[in-house]
Amino acid sequence: MCGIVGYIGGQNAAPILLEGLTRLEYRGYDSAGIAVLGPKDTTQVHRVVGRVRNLTAALPKRLTGKVGIGHTRWATHGPASEDNAHPHTSEDGRISVVHNGIIDNADALRAQLADAGVKLTSETDTEVLAHLIARSGADTLEDAVVEAVSRITGTYAIAVTDSAHPDRLVIARNGSPLIIGVGEREMFVASDLAALVRHTSQVAHLDDGEFATVFATGYRTFTVDESDTTKPTTEIDIAAEDLDLGGFPHYMAKEIQEQPESIERIIRGRLDHRFGVARLDGLNLTPRELRGFSRVKILGCGSAYYVGQIGATMIEELARIPADAEAASEFRYRNPIIEADTLYIAVSQSGETIDTAFAVEEIKRKGGRVVGLVNVVGSTIARACDGGVYLHAGPEIAVASTKALTNMAVGFALIALSLGRVRDLSNADGQRIIAAIRALPDQIRTILAAEGEIAEHAKVAASANSLFFIGRVRGFPVAREGAQKFKEISYRHAEAYQTSELKHGPLALIDESLPTVAIVPADELADRNLAAMQQIRARGGAVLAVTHEDVDFGELDVPRIVVPRTEPELDPILLTIPLQLLAYHAALTLGYDIDKPRNLAKSVTVE
Ligand code: AGP
């Protein structure tokens, strides 16, 4: 959730740290700070509440120093304030620490430190680390960090500077991502590739339980018992331009428009029309193994969970094996039964969502087989899984996920084909789905061309304080995702229901002030959906239908957003696209910060 950057080399650190923090701001953005090692063993620490631009404005004109760390925060312990912003420092100012994650035993450690006479200056868990390191008495900074980290429980990625050792940064990771970027006689540290791509294409990902000393000319990685580990560098696969707005007013607008190309990337080389099958070598599953699964369980959080529901329906329809999706955030807390003949699929854009990562661990601990449907290459979840399908959606910056979710849904279609074609899905049906998948990019272009019309509907929707989103079977997760996107960025209450459930309670709320967005595909449930819309209209509720051209609305006169038809199994993919635009334009009308909605972060790396 928080973003960490670090620099050591021949350049002035501050501008590099600030630029990196700006790139990481989407991870968390309620306060920011940097620590730069200055001349004569001093550390210059600057922290502000708010965005990185506030920090930039607050910095002194001359802030020189070639080693530093920076942080953009998403509050967990204590509100957003200057005192709670990172870096945190030891009492003598020698040690500075930035941290991403949560220290579970922070209260106990704070009490112990206070008893020992330490004056704590923040409400954060992180501050304890600065004091523990400074008070360790170990001979080296590395030993002091290892010793301090051994006393904490919880999750962390940390970067530490010591003004007495200005030739190094010491970093450590457990549960929160941390990457080293390798330059020419300079090194970078970051929570995310986004902060590194402008400087280097060579990176090394730290693993959980690993530490590193980073010098200007190289790095050494080691474990808690100080044994060296081997950490080769890999080449980054994203270009710096991919992270720019490219002329769009918001990343969300850009990412919505990128969807046709992003689908083309996920299917490239993976569709075999002749045999009506998808080739997913990364799953690391033989046809015999694929055939051996008698159930599929999908785990994700938030929108990834809703798309998991779309995927479960696709898998049941195409492979005819029981499949369901569950919120990963709840999964491990109910001591789940892990079955050897169940294929577990973890789905995540960032690959760093801690709840999903923990669900993967729980499955593996109990001997289950888990594959990933992940966007960020080399991320925690991607590496923890036994195999997987990369989404190839490209970098997604807006907190409200769009293109990654669409690629998740397409990824599920590919997995459903693989599972189906080793069972009873015929070659002809496989070819039918493949042809439909190939047509999706152009069909999405058609929907995107109607953006102006959808923007008009959004203005109406934005004027309501509360909205319902309804759908049935394939349409229900679409409604859930539509409501999620709407509430996330427009701050309007938006609730999703199964259309069939309306009359069991929620219908009581319907009146002129509560509009409903109804998902009405041209399927076997269209008539029932029409009947529900009539019941809403009869109670004075406005309805906006997201539907297909050939649904006969008869006498029912409600505004409609029409999407092209695909094969019914893939309908949710296209029905979701207008809901992204609806949410985007509602938030635009209301004047909110679309890419960085309040209280949220792109990558949820704390529980
Ligand atoms: C989507 O718009 C949300 N920001 C959120 O629900 C997100 O999908 C969820 O936090 C999961 O993230 P992940 O895909 O990176 O795991």
Side-chain angles (χ1 to χ4, degrees):
M1 320 230 22
C2 308
I4 289 177
V5 289
Y7 175 77
I8 182 162
Q11 302 187 59
N12 231 357
I16 294 170
L17 298 175
L18 290 170
E19 196 264 339
L21 288 180
T22 306
R23 298 280 158 198
L24 295 184
E25 216 176 21
Y26 72 101
R27 296 176 66 89
Y29 35 76
D30 59 38
S31 49
I34 56 173
V36 175
L37 297 189
K40 300 193 191 88
D41 297 348
T42 58
T43 307
Q44 308 154 83
V45 179
H46 297 274
R47 304 182 295 184
V48 296
V49 173
R51 296 286 168 84
V52 176
R53 59 174 177 262
N54 303 6
L55 178 64
T56 307
L59 291 182
K61 287 230 156 26
R62 275 181 60 78
L63 177 57
T64 52
K66 296 176 176 172
V67 184
I69 51 178
H71 190 266
T72 170
R73 177 171 187 247
W74 187 87
T76 57
H77 288 64
S81 69
E82 203 175 306
D83 282 344
N84 289 336
H86 302 211
H88 290 283
T89 48
S90 54
E91 286 181 296
D92 58 4
R94 186 172 62 87
I95 301 292
S96 298
V97 180
V98 289
H99 165 226
N100 175 13
I102 289 187
I103 300 172
D104 295 335
N105 59 340
D107 286 350
L109 291 169
R110 286 176 65 92
Q112 285 167 23
L113 286 164
D115 286 349
V118 175
K119 196 172 165 310
L120 293 147
T121 57
S122 78
E123 296 163 75
T124 66
D125 52 348
T126 305
E127 188 186 350
V128 301
L129 275 170
H131 298 305
L132 290 175
I133 295 167
R135 295 164 66 86
S136 102
D139 289 342
T140 66
L141 176 61
E142 288 79 351
D143 285 349
V145 171
V146 166
E147 195 184 304
V149 157
S150 307
R151 291 187 60 190
I152 64 172
T153 56
T155 56
Y156 54 83
I158 58 169
V160 182
T161 59
D162 179 348
S163 57
H165 295 283
D167 63 335
R168 69 195 62 193
L169 303 172
V170 175
I171 61 175
R173 164 189 170 141
N174 184 40
S176 298
L178 206 50
I179 307 167
I180 302 170
V182 180
E184 274 293 315
R185 304 188 68 77
E186 58 182 355
M187 304 287 279
F188 307 83
V189 170
S191 332
D192 193 316
L193 291 176
L196 300 177
V197 286
R198 267 167 190 73
H199 305 289
T200 178
S201 61
Q202 294 298 317
V203 301
H205 293 259
L206 275 204
D207 281 314
D208 280 347
E210 237 175 357
F211 298 74
T213 308
V214 183
F215 304 99
T217 49
Y219 60 91
R220 169 193 164 233
T221 53
F222 53 96
T223 58
V224 71
D225 59 8
E226 302 263 358
S227 322
D228 284 356
T229 54
T230 313
K231 188 86 338 184
T233 57
T234 53
E235 183 92 19
I236 292 182
D237 69 341
I238 48 176
E241 313 76 75
D242 294 344
L243 298 166
D244 291 334
L245 275 168
F248 286 90
H250 303 99
Y251 282 106
M252 185 178 180
K254 178 181 181 229
E255 288 156 11
I256 289 173
Q257 294 296 329
E258 283 173 347
Q259 291 179 105
E261 293 73 35
S262 117
I263 291 185
E264 278 156 6
R265 280 198 299 275
I266 188 177
I267 61 178
R268 188 166 300 144
R270 285 172 164 162
L271 293 175
D272 182 337
H273 190 266
R274 186 164 159 223
F275 294 104
V277 73
R279 303 231 170 269
L280 301 175
D281 296 342
L283 284 179
N284 296 332
L285 292 168
T286 63
R288 180 187 286 269
E289 285 172 318
L290 279 172
R291 202 179 154 70
F293 295 114
S294 56
R295 188 175 284 276
V296 174
K297 165 74 83 183
I298 297 160
L299 294 149
C301 291
S303 293
Y305 160 45
Y306 302 144
V307 180
Q309 290 188 314
I310 291 175
T313 306
M314 283 178 185
I315 290 167
E316 287 205 343
E317 289 188 321
L318 295 172
R320 300 304 298 153
I321 48 173
D324 74 323
E326 181 173 339
S329 46
E330 290 287 290
F331 182 70
R332 79 195 150 104
Y333 291 105
R334 62 175 183 78
N335 191 15
I337 298 164
I338 301 299
E339 295 168 307
D341 61 349
T342 296
L343 174 63
Y344 295 88
I345 305 176
V347 55
S348 173
Q349 186 287 129
S350 61
E352 303 292 351
T353 301
I354 201 153
D355 289 316
T356 312
F358 281 152
V360 170
E361 268 178 38
E362 179 76 10
I363 296 162
K364 291 183 73 177
R365 188 178 305 117
K366 293 180 172 173
R369 188 82 177 248
V370 56
V371 297
L373 199 49
V374 174
N375 194 36
V376 177
V377 176
S379 55
T380 302
I381 296 170
R383 286 185 295 152
C385 286
D386 299 315
V389 178
Y390 275 122
L391 298 175
H392 296 300
E396 193 181 67
I397 308 289
V399 165
S401 182
T402 53
K403 62 176 180 171
L405 299 176
T406 302
N407 273 25
M408 285 173 193
V410 174
F412 280 120
L414 303 182
I415 293 174
L417 273 179
S418 297
L419 288 164
R421 288 291 289 126
V422 292
R423 292 179 173 75
D424 297 333
L425 187 74
S426 68
N427 194 359
D429 268 338
Q431 290 178 341
R432 170 178 70 82
I433 296 297
I434 285 177
I437 291 173
R438 286 199 198 285
L440 289 173
D442 277 343
Q443 291 180 307
I444 290 178
R445 287 184 183 102
T446 312
I447 300 171
L448 298 179
E451 181 168 0
E453 183 199 322
I454 297 170
E456 292 304 313
H457 292 300
K459 283 185 192 149
V460 180
S463 66
N465 284 325
S466 187
L467 294 94
F468 278 178
F469 285 71
I470 58 169
R472 296 193 67 165
V473 188
R474 295 184 200 110
F476 177 53
V478 174
R480 292 188 92 179
E481 168 52 14
Q484 163 96 336
K485 209 93 305 165
F486 205 87
K487 71 178 79 145
E488 209 173 1
I489 56 171
S490 77
Y491 314 150
R492 291 292 187 256
H493 171 245
E495 193 82 37
Y497 288 106
Q498 281 116 330
T499 311
S500 53
E501 282 289 305
L502 271 188
K503 57 186 177 301
H504 297 294
L507 201 58
L509 290 174
I510 295 286
D511 63 14
E512 297 76 15
S513 69
L514 194 146
T516 298
V517 178
I519 313 304
V520 191
D523 62 13
E524 58 286 1
L525 292 166
D527 286 348
R528 290 175 195 279
N529 282 324
L530 288 173
M533 286 190 289
Q534 265 147 355
Q535 288 170 14
I536 294 168
R537 289 295 301 122
R539 283 151 185 86
V543 174
L544 169 65
V546 179
T547 187
H548 291 134
E549 185 69 56
D550 41 352
V551 175
D552 180 5
F553 277 63
E555 302 284 289
L556 187 64
D557 184 19
V558 297
R560 284 175 244 180
I561 298 172
V562 172
V563 306
R565 284 195 74 171
T566 172
E567 291 299 327
E569 296 90 339
L570 305 182
D571 274 343
I573 299 173
L574 295 183
L575 290 164
T576 304
I577 310 293
L579 302 182
Q580 303 169 344
L581 290 168
L582 195 74
Y584 174 78
H585 283 283
L588 198 62
T589 303
L590 293 164
Y592 292 130
D593 189 345
I594 292 180
D595 287 334
K596 299 186 180 79
R598 69 184 181 202
N599 304 339
L600 299 178
K602 181 69 178 163
S603 171
V604 186
T605 54
V606 295
E607 271 200 274

